[in-house]
Amino acid sequence: MSSSSQTNDLKNRIIFTIFILAVYRFGTFVPIPGIDPEQLQTMMSGNQKGLLGMFNVFSGGAVSRMAIFALGIMPYISSSIIVQLLTGVSDYFKNLKAQGETGRAKITQITRYGTVILATIQGYGLSVGLQSSADLVINPGLFFTVTAVSTIVAGTMFLMWLGEQITQRGIGNGISLIIFAGIVAEIPRALVTTFELGRTGAVSTIMIIGIFVLLVATIMFIVFMERALRKILINYPKRQMGNKMYGGESSHLPLKINQAGVIPAIFASALLLLPVTFSNFSFSNNDTFLNLSSYFTQGQPLYMLFYASGIIFFTFFYTSITFNPTETADNLRKYGGFIPGIRPGENTALYIDKIVTKLTTIGALYLTLVCLMPEFLIANYPIPFYLGGTSILIVVVVAIDTVTQIQTRLMSSQYEQLIKKTKFGK
């Protein structure tokens, strides 16, 4: 592939990604049929805290508009969590994973079926909850239930398909980019709301300045931690082949502090959202829902404990899935590489595993700190959810990963062009 064709391919991928995200944003403004918009606005105005506010963040504001994408991509993420947990404990899923591409295709198919089931259950709960709210549904009954559930499930599956299309034909991870686009699109409104609070005196000017300073410091801290690496020195012995000597070189095995990326925060948030979806979305005077929501609001010990535990667990779990020290040690031995002072094979695997465990511990604490620290501000001040730690983490990490992929494609194109020029010169 020529350099110009690769550049055109990259441009087409970026345009395709932007187009898909625009389709997604359009869908967040298409309401479910049969909803009274005035009653919906009245109901949602007093229910933006707690897990409902978090759900609205991940759906890109679709919950507040009760759009066809109200469930967002969360059923797919919940299904992925269940499948990945089964991969670690079930022999059937372990065998599927060991089958390579064929096994991965089956796992993907099972994840899709799980998404349909979860979206149907959550869609039914949503329809029942909407009908329990006074005057919210224009014509409540069986017809509305069937229509709402069908619309919501279709919207979720279409959103899942859009994410897969971005991953295959666009730039970056499609699911992460959809969540990213939803958060970024609502940030301007969050900023306007914050400034309006300052204008009315609900929040002091000094506090607003302090919040934005904290946001900038958080972004800088996230970028630093995401770029941080632990490099393990790898040596290769000299080998003589014929009259030539090969090897005798050194390289590094780079290990990121946060190898799990933004996945632990998303997975932990998805688990925290399950109590909302299975409480039939009763926003009215349902005592059970109100009691449940009171435990899952910002600053509450139970919310913080569950959120922190989920982040730490999924950081270790996802890292164990994506990085295998034994496999890495075997590859080093296969190509003649070794770590100075460490015997190849099992000792190398144990050494790498020890370092990865330490790095993962630091990464888990870093993710927990970033996600929970701003939540105290949101709990004590009327700051929009979109300025919270989880939202900023997702935006920064997804942006870094996407830019890195673009840079990799550009560097690949420039490298091939340089090689061709060198050959031509010779």
Side-chain angles (χ1 to χ4, degrees):
M1 184 181 293
S2 64
S3 175
S4 59
S5 61
Q6 282 194 343
T7 304
N8 290 333
D9 177 67
L10 176 60
K11 182 176 67 175
N12 293 335
R13 284 178 175 272
I14 294 176
I15 294 175
F16 178 79
T17 301
I18 294 174
F19 172 74
I20 294 296
L21 294 179
V23 172
Y24 158 64
R25 287 304 300 164
F26 175 77
T28 60
F29 289 90
V30 179
I32 298 173
I35 302 293
D36 187 337
E38 294 182 359
Q39 292 293 330
L40 175 64
Q41 186 176 4
T42 301
M43 183 192 72
M44 294 301 299
S45 61
N47 289 280
Q48 289 299 318
K49 284 289 185 180
L51 292 184
L52 180 60
M54 184 186 292
F55 205 107
N56 197 39
V57 168
F58 284 102
S59 66
V63 171
S64 61
R65 295 183 285 270
M66 209 52 67
I68 59 175
F69 292 159
L71 294 182
I73 204 66
M74 301 313 287
Y76 177 78
I77 294 176
S78 301
S79 179
S80 299
I81 294 173
I82 296 173
V83 171
Q84 290 197 17
L85 289 174
L86 290 175
T87 303
V89 299
S90 171
D91 292 335
Y92 174 75
F93 283 92
K94 287 180 180 178
N95 293 332
L96 285 180
K97 186 178 179 181
Q99 292 177 10
E101 192 65 32
T102 304
R104 283 194 293 269
K106 291 182 180 179
I107 291 176
T108 301
Q109 197 68 20
I110 293 173
T111 304
R112 292 170 179 168
Y113 290 145
T115 303
V116 174
I117 295 173
L118 288 176
T120 302
I121 295 174
Q122 295 176 12
Y124 176 76
L126 176 59
S127 66
V128 172
L130 291 174
Q131 292 178 84
S132 66
S133 301
D135 301 326
L136 182 60
V137 178
I138 299 175
N139 294 311
L142 179 61
F143 179 76
F144 172 79
T145 301
V146 174
T147 303
V149 172
S150 301
T151 303
I152 290 170
V153 173
T156 300
M157 297 309 295
F158 180 65
L159 200 56
M160 181 189 71
W161 180 80
L162 290 180
E164 292 177 349
Q165 293 303 304
I166 292 176
T167 302
Q168 295 173 5
R169 302 168 57 187
I171 287 291
N173 182 282
I175 303 302
S176 299
L177 276 175
I178 285 176
I179 300 176
F180 168 87
I183 296 174
V184 170
E186 296 293 326
I187 284 180
R189 183 180 302 179
L191 294 176
V192 171
T193 302
T194 304
F195 288 129
E196 183 67 19
L197 292 172
R199 189 184 66 82
T200 57
V203 180
S204 65
T205 304
I206 296 178
M207 178 57 64
I208 292 179
I209 295 175
I211 290 172
F212 283 104
V213 170
L214 178 62
L215 286 177
V216 173
T218 302
I219 292 173
M220 294 174 63
F221 179 61
I222 293 173
V223 173
F224 172 78
M225 293 298 291
E226 292 298 323
R227 291 293 189 182
L229 295 174
R230 168 71 160 86
K231 295 182 178 180
I232 301 177
L233 179 64
I234 305 295
N235 289 337
Y236 292 90
K238 293 183 179 181
R239 293 177 298 171
Q240 185 172 356
M241 298 181 63
N243 296 325
K244 293 185 178 181
M245 188 72 69
Y246 296 92
E249 301 172 349
S250 298
S251 64
H252 292 89
L253 175 64
L255 299 175
K256 291 184 63 177
I257 290 181
N258 177 30
Q259 297 198 50
V262 75
I263 297 297
I266 296 177
F267 277 14
S269 301
L271 286 183
L272 283 176
L273 294 176
L274 288 179
V276 172
T277 59
F278 288 108
S279 63
N280 290 335
F281 287 81
S282 301
F283 306 124
S284 55
N285 296 323
N286 187 307
D287 293 335
T288 303
F289 176 80
L290 293 175
N291 291 333
L292 179 66
S293 298
S294 64
Y295 290 112
F296 287 93
T297 54
Q298 283 63 46
Q300 293 296 323
L302 189 61
Y303 168 84
M304 297 294 181
L305 177 63
F306 279 9
Y307 198 18
S309 301
I311 291 174
I312 294 173
F313 170 77
F314 283 114
T315 301
F316 279 92
F317 178 75
Y318 196 77
T319 302
S320 67
I321 292 178
T322 56
F323 184 82
N324 190 338
T326 302
E327 183 179 345
T328 303
D330 290 340
N331 290 333
L332 287 176
R333 183 169 57 179
K334 184 186 302 183
Y335 293 102
F338 64 94
I339 300 175
I342 306 296
R343 295 183 61 182
E346 183 179 354
N347 289 344
T348 298
L350 292 175
Y351 178 78
I352 295 176
D353 181 63
K354 183 178 179 181
I355 293 178
V356 170
T357 301
K358 292 180 179 179
L359 294 178
T360 306
T361 302
I362 297 173
L365 295 176
Y366 140 70
L367 290 176
T368 304
L369 176 65
V370 169
C371 290
L372 293 187
M373 182 176 63
E375 304 298 337
F376 291 101
L377 288 176
I378 298 177
N380 297 316
Y381 300 94
I383 306 300
F385 243 108
Y386 297 92
L387 301 181
T390 306
S391 304
I392 300 300
L393 176 70
I394 293 173
V395 169
V396 175
V397 173
V398 174
I400 290 175
D401 291 341
T402 305
V403 171
T404 300
Q405 287 198 26
I406 294 175
Q407 290 177 342
T408 301
R409 290 182 176 274
L410 287 175
M411 289 178 63
S412 175
S413 173
Q414 294 173 356
Y415 178 76
E416 288 189 5
Q417 187 178 9
L418 179 62
I419 293 296
K420 289 182 179 181
K421 286 183 178 179
T422 305
K423 290 181 178 179
F424 180 77
K426 289 183 178 179

